[in-house]
Amino acid sequence: MASRSNRILVPEAREALNKFKLEAAQEVGTPLTNGYNGDLTSRQNGSVGGQMVKKIIQDYENNIK
């Protein structure tokens, strides 16, 4: 089985990724905060990740020529 890592490859991007995650959480109505979020359900966390992917794909589609 392949090893998985949530390590950020570009440490300078950490702040931008956190901002992006908080914006996505706000858009789907998930009460995400900086710090501990262990009280959120898997569904809530998944909706944030899904929104992030949706926005990345939308941005890519808007920028291809």
Side-chain angles (χ1 to χ4, degrees):
M1 186 165 149
S3 172
R4 293 181 60 186
S5 174
N6 289 329
R7 183 172 49 102
I8 295 177
L9 298 177
V10 181
E12 297 81 14
R14 182 177 304 276
E15 187 176 329
L17 286 170
N18 284 335
K19 181 180 175 192
F20 181 50
K21 181 170 45 175
L22 291 172
E23 288 173 4
Q26 186 177 17
E27 289 174 6
V28 295
T30 298
L32 194 66
T33 61
N34 282 327
Y36 180 75
N37 288 294
D39 55 338
L40 299 178
T41 66
S42 297
R43 182 181 201 108
Q44 288 173 307
N45 286 316
S47 67
V48 173
Q51 181 69 6
M52 291 172 72
V53 170
K54 180 180 174 182
K55 289 181 74 164
I56 290 169
I57 291 170
Q58 186 177 42
D59 185 56
Y60 175 78
E61 289 176 343
N62 289 338
N63 290 317
I64 61 173
K65 307 242 186 248

